[in-house]
Amino acid sequence: MNAHQVQLVQHSFAQVQPIAEIASDLFYARLFELDPALKPLFRGNMQAQGHKLMMMLGVAVANLNKPEVVMPALQRLGERHAGYGVTEAHYATVGEALLWTLQEGLGEAFTAEVRLAWEAVYGLVAETMQQAARRMTALTESPIRSSLS
């Protein structure tokens, strides 16, 4: 991910923010369409979940130039998601739903260049979260930890 891609993602996300509620509704509808088995992982109010999603994306996008801020937050998020039952395969489905949502929300502004920038950002986000989840899983499955329980 380079500086120009960061700029493209930040600019395009600013265009999505005024329609954040619509975008989150589109995202979850598409996510559950792609994989209905994901729906039980989301408990509670989906409007509140959508708000959390947009807030998390906003923080991540705003801090793309500050890895010391965004990376620890993504690692904690990945650890929590592992506890919710999120698997590595789910990240691809989420990425597909996210890109589709951006395309729907941005229309013609979602150019090939903007799409590549979002793919780069999401790839970094997903990989960071997955690495943290793998570390968390390894710790919880460790024979030493198991013998202490």
Side-chain angles (χ1 to χ4, degrees):
M1 176 176 63
N2 61 44
H4 181 63
Q5 289 174 316
V6 168
Q7 185 180 42
L8 287 171
V9 166
Q10 289 174 334
H11 177 73
S12 61
F13 189 72
Q15 294 174 300
V16 172
Q17 285 182 310
I19 60 161
E21 189 172 332
I22 294 167
S24 65
D25 289 346
L26 286 171
F27 170 80
Y28 285 111
R30 181 67 175 161
L31 183 67
F32 300 146
E33 180 182 313
L34 292 170
D35 188 352
L38 288 173
K39 196 161 189 160
L41 295 179
F42 295 88
R43 296 174 183 89
N45 183 314
M46 287 307 295
Q47 201 168 25
Q49 182 65 40
H51 181 71
K52 287 180 194 176
L53 169 71
M54 296 308 288
M55 291 283 293
M56 184 277 302
L57 280 172
V59 169
V61 167
N63 290 290
L64 287 174
N65 290 322
K66 300 175 190 162
E68 70 280 2
V69 172
V70 78
M71 297 307 268
L74 290 173
Q75 290 165 342
R76 287 189 302 275
L77 192 60
E79 291 167 357
R80 282 197 312 273
H81 278 70
Y84 301 148
V86 174
T87 67
E88 292 201 11
H90 294 146
Y91 284 89
T93 308
V94 168
E96 186 178 339
L98 175 64
L99 293 171
W100 180 88
T101 301
L102 291 165
Q103 181 177 330
E104 291 296 307
L106 294 170
E108 290 182 12
F110 194 65
T111 64
E113 187 178 31
V114 171
R115 180 184 185 88
L116 286 173
W118 273 98
E119 287 173 352
V121 166
Y122 182 72
L124 176 66
V125 167
E127 183 56 33
T128 301
M129 290 176 65
Q130 289 172 4
Q131 285 176 358
R134 284 191 293 269
R135 280 193 304 275
M136 177 62 70
T137 301
L139 283 174
T140 59
E141 294 176 355
S142 162
I144 294 170
R145 181 162 171 90
S146 296
S147 67
L148 296 175
S149 300

